[in-house]
Amino acid sequence: MTFKLHQIGTVHSPFKEKFGIPRQAGLVRGCEGLIELHKPWDRQEALHGLEGFSHLWVIFIFHQAIKPVEKWRPTVRPPRLGCKRQGVFATRSPYRPNPIGMSVVENHGWKKHSGKWYLIISGLDLLDGTPVVDIKPYLPYSDSLPNAKGGFAHQAPKSMNMKLSFSKQAKKEVSQAQAKYPQMVTLITSLLTHNPRPAYFGHIEQRQNFGMKLYDFNVQWEVKGNAILVQSLTPL
Ligand code: SAH
């Protein structure tokens, strides 16, 4: 059987490219976003009661990881395990038979702006423009299982004990950016100390430079050992 899904909404997120996005929801502080609801699902009645829930499940399409069926692989390489393959159904990889993802995000209510309805969320691990196919309340009595075992991903990845600083230039640029995005310093600090580099980079002794797009900035930083230096925030 095949099924048709409706895109009920679109994610607006600080993350404009896959590189650097947290590997799960709720890991990084300071990442706030919106879900824009589309017609005919943008009805206030459809949100009635949601205000009582602190967290939501967002069911979405990994729209930038869609592969034709012939290219389907039964195993993937989760970043937590470096290059070691695991069965796709034992991972939360975006590359799966149906590109469906699920993230628990924090619920901060909704707003109407220029005739459109938005849910305000935080803690997201979603790319800007991600199509949303469903929203459900997170039910602590059933969704939180303290005795559950987490296989190869039993514990949250540790932030790497990295020391982060901003160059003189980046300090100036980030304080300007904070006027529009008050969470910018928190977001950059939390993101980069969670080690967004591909797992195969391992520990870096030589200086290495990285960059990612965040909101409408290109953030560039350098890593050496356990020191991160944010070099610049260039407007895109
Ligand atoms: N919490 C979700 C997603 C886990 S994978 C789940 O368990 O199903 C998280 C990774 O998905 C991120 O690091 C990012 O690189 C990738 N990602 C996020 N949104 C995406 C999208 N729309 N298309 C493709 N990949 C996406």
Side-chain angles (χ1 to χ4, degrees):
M1 272 196 272
T2 50
F3 303 90
K4 197 169 130 194
L5 293 176
H6 298 286
Q7 176 175 357
I8 61 153
T10 301
V11 172
H12 295 273
S13 151
F15 306 119
K16 310 296 176 191
E17 59 185 341
K18 283 190 276 177
F19 178 71
I21 301 184
R23 288 172 188 155
Q24 265 306 336
L27 285 179
V28 162
R29 287 176 303 119
C31 50
E32 294 172 350
L34 299 170
I35 298 174
E36 177 187 338
L37 293 175
H38 296 313
K39 288 188 189 325
W41 297 280
D42 59 340
R43 300 277 300 267
Q44 194 179 7
E45 304 97 287
L47 302 173
H48 184 71
L50 205 60
E51 66 282 357
F53 294 89
S54 64
H55 291 77
L56 307 174
W57 281 107
V58 180
I59 315 296
F60 62 92
I61 303 296
F62 286 113
H63 72 308
Q64 286 203 8
I66 298 176
K67 281 188 177 175
V69 180
E70 323 75 81
K71 296 232 164 131
W72 179 71
R73 299 286 297 270
T75 60
V76 293
R77 300 173 193 272
R80 287 295 287 279
L81 289 180
C83 293
K84 227 175 118 210
R85 288 195 167 273
Q86 293 282 301
V88 65
F89 299 129
T91 76
R92 301 283 282 261
S93 165
Y95 294 97
R96 32 201 334 115
N98 291 297
I100 293 175
M102 47 194 269
S103 295
V104 176
V105 297
E106 236 179 288
N107 175 22
H108 302 284
W110 60 75
K111 65 176 183 186
K112 196 173 187 185
H113 182 69
S114 303
K116 289 180 176 173
W117 281 99
Y118 297 90
L119 287 176
I120 307 160
I121 56 173
S122 69
L124 55 164
D125 55 352
L126 307 170
L127 196 60
D128 191 45
T130 295
V132 174
V133 292
D134 208 356
I135 294 159
K136 304 185 192 209
Y138 177 89
L139 297 181
Y141 81 84
S142 143
D143 295 343
S144 162
L145 303 167
N147 298 326
K149 284 190 201 150
F152 65 86
H154 188 62
Q155 290 188 332
K158 291 192 181 68
S159 73
M160 301 274 292
N161 228 347
M162 307 284 279
K163 290 195 175 60
L164 182 136
S165 56
F166 288 82
S167 73
K168 209 169 155 194
Q169 182 190 340
K171 261 188 202 150
K172 209 167 89 190
E173 291 163 342
V174 86
S175 73
Q176 282 163 3
Q178 291 258 118
K180 194 167 167 198
Y181 307 110
Q183 301 285 330
M184 199 60 144
V185 171
T186 311
L187 177 57
I188 292 177
T189 308
S190 185
L191 260 181
L192 301 192
T193 52
H194 270 88
N195 184 23
R197 304 185 300 273
Y200 54 77
F201 266 84
H203 185 76
I204 294 179
E205 266 319 315
Q206 299 292 322
R207 259 175 232 289
Q208 288 272 1
N209 292 296
F210 298 91
M212 72 180 282
K213 294 192 186 108
L214 209 52
Y215 293 108
D216 38 7
F217 291 93
N218 189 13
V219 181
Q220 295 197 289
W221 70 97
E222 176 190 279
V223 180
K224 189 180 179 226
N226 70 343
I228 303 171
L229 177 68
V230 183
Q231 293 165 316
S232 62
L233 264 82
T234 323
L236 286 168

